[in-house]
Amino acid sequence: MDILKKFFKIAFGAKDKDSFLSLLIMVVIAAVVCSVAGWLLSKIPLIGWVFGLALGLCGLYLAITLVLGVLVFLGIIQ
């Protein structure tokens, strides 16, 4: 659990309603920005696959952050 708290600090701060809503808004904005930037940069012919991979990792990180934030908010994990 300490490793998760180290890598996903923001998700473990969603203890009340306001902090959970700010986490949700932050994750949605980050997902939109990563998607747009990844979509534009993946059009580059030779290194587009690198940006596509980075976009996938960014999406995975945001999804895990959101799941952990929901679990902390519901009190399932601490």
Side-chain angles (χ1 to χ4, degrees):
M1 191 61 80
D2 292 333
I3 295 174
L4 286 177
K5 286 184 180 181
K6 181 180 177 182
F7 288 115
F8 301 100
K9 292 179 183 178
I10 298 170
F12 285 94
K15 305 236 184 249
D16 59 348
K17 184 179 176 183
D18 292 334
S19 61
F20 177 70
L21 286 177
S22 66
L23 171 73
L24 185 64
I25 291 170
M26 193 171 14
V27 166
V28 168
I29 290 173
V32 168
V33 168
C34 285
S35 295
V36 170
W39 179 73
L40 289 174
L41 293 173
S42 67
K43 301 288 184 184
I44 300 172
L46 293 177
I47 58 171
W49 64 272
V50 175
F51 291 113
L53 180 65
L55 173 65
L57 292 175
C58 181
L60 180 65
Y61 180 82
L62 291 173
I64 293 172
T65 301
L66 188 60
V67 168
L68 286 174
V70 169
L71 292 176
V72 168
F73 178 69
L74 294 176
I76 296 173
I77 60 173
Q78 296 184 12

